[in-house]
Amino acid sequence: MLRLVAHRRRLPIASSVDAAIVVGSPREAREVERLTSLGNRVYSVPGRRDDHYVARLLSAYSTSVEGHLVYHGSGLYVAGIGGREPLANIKSLSAEIEEQKPSMLLLVSEYPPHGLFDRSRIGVSRGLFEVSDAVAAWRPRVVVLGDCYGPGVARVNDVLYVCLGSPECRAYINLVDGEFRAEVLCDKL
């Protein structure tokens, strides 16, 4: 069994997971240093409001997957589309994924794909067509979304989408008997 935890703009606490995913930096950039004390592998992508300094901090204290494909182990690869330059991230990831051809991919994206978890409070669809196209081409098993609306989980065309949407929410993602399952828990909304 593989167990992951994902957070949006909040750092995980030490827990019994194999790895943690952080989408966007916490409110206090200095908090990022605490990632090294967790004892777990931490994958990160900066958010759309994060500057280059914060992105460098995330890279220094975690494994940045922004625009990169990283092998986790047990056949699982982790890739990320960050908030600062999503189209450049997609372009570089396309080349890496074409070369590696991962059989089990987990994609972390600051942006939702167009048409899924992307409706704003006023009903505007804010998802990126490019993320939709990337998911269709790469066929990840799981897509963890940071800046999305309505925390939750959906399975569409055999892809498990996990929407964090809020710093008050975290997701637990488990691989059991070859199938990914997830649940999103929120402290308060």
Side-chain angles (χ1 to χ4, degrees):
M1 181 168 128
L2 175 69
R3 185 165 166 86
L4 307 167
V5 65
H7 288 266
R8 165 113 180 108
R9 296 202 174 282
R10 180 179 262 188
L11 299 184
I13 57 172
S15 62
S16 58
V17 296
D18 298 299
I21 298 165
V22 176
V23 185
S25 70
R27 289 183 173 95
E28 296 291 326
R30 294 180 139 218
E31 286 276 308
V32 173
E33 294 178 20
R34 195 168 58 82
L35 289 173
T36 58
S37 66
L38 292 179
N40 311 61
R41 191 154 184 196
V42 179
Y43 300 102
S44 65
V45 294
R48 71 175 72 195
R49 294 175 196 97
D50 293 344
D51 63 19
H52 291 285
Y53 169 73
V54 170
R56 282 195 307 272
L57 276 177
L58 284 172
S59 292
Y61 294 102
S62 66
T63 302
S64 175
V65 292
E66 181 184 26
H68 297 290
L69 181 66
V70 175
Y71 184 66
H72 173 78
S74 302
L76 177 66
Y77 286 81
V78 181
I81 301 170
R84 298 174 310 139
E85 298 178 20
L87 302 183
N89 290 177
I90 290 170
K91 185 176 181 178
S92 64
L93 278 171
S94 289
E96 289 185 34
I97 289 171
E98 178 63 31
E99 181 180 318
Q100 293 293 322
K101 297 181 180 13
S103 60
M104 189 169 28
L105 176 64
L106 184 146
L107 177 64
V108 181
S109 178
E110 167 71 355
Y111 298 93
H114 182 78
L116 185 65
F117 290 118
D118 71 337
R119 291 278 183 205
S120 71
R121 289 178 184 87
I122 60 171
V124 175
S125 183
R126 297 181 54 224
L128 297 181
F129 286 104
E130 294 85 355
V131 173
S132 298
D133 294 343
V135 169
W138 304 338
R139 303 292 305 152
R141 301 272 303 276
V142 179
V143 179
V144 177
L145 305 169
D147 193 12
C148 49
Y149 294 93
V153 176
R155 190 175 298 275
V156 179
N157 297 327
D158 292 325
V159 177
L160 181 66
Y161 292 88
V162 180
C163 172
L164 296 168
S166 169
E168 285 76 28
C169 299
R170 66 202 168 282
Y172 291 98
I173 304 161
N174 300 305
L175 175 62
V176 180
D177 297 328
E179 184 177 342
F180 280 98
R181 297 185 181 121
E183 68 176 328
V184 176
L185 304 172
C186 301
D187 296 331
K188 59 181 177 175
L189 288 180

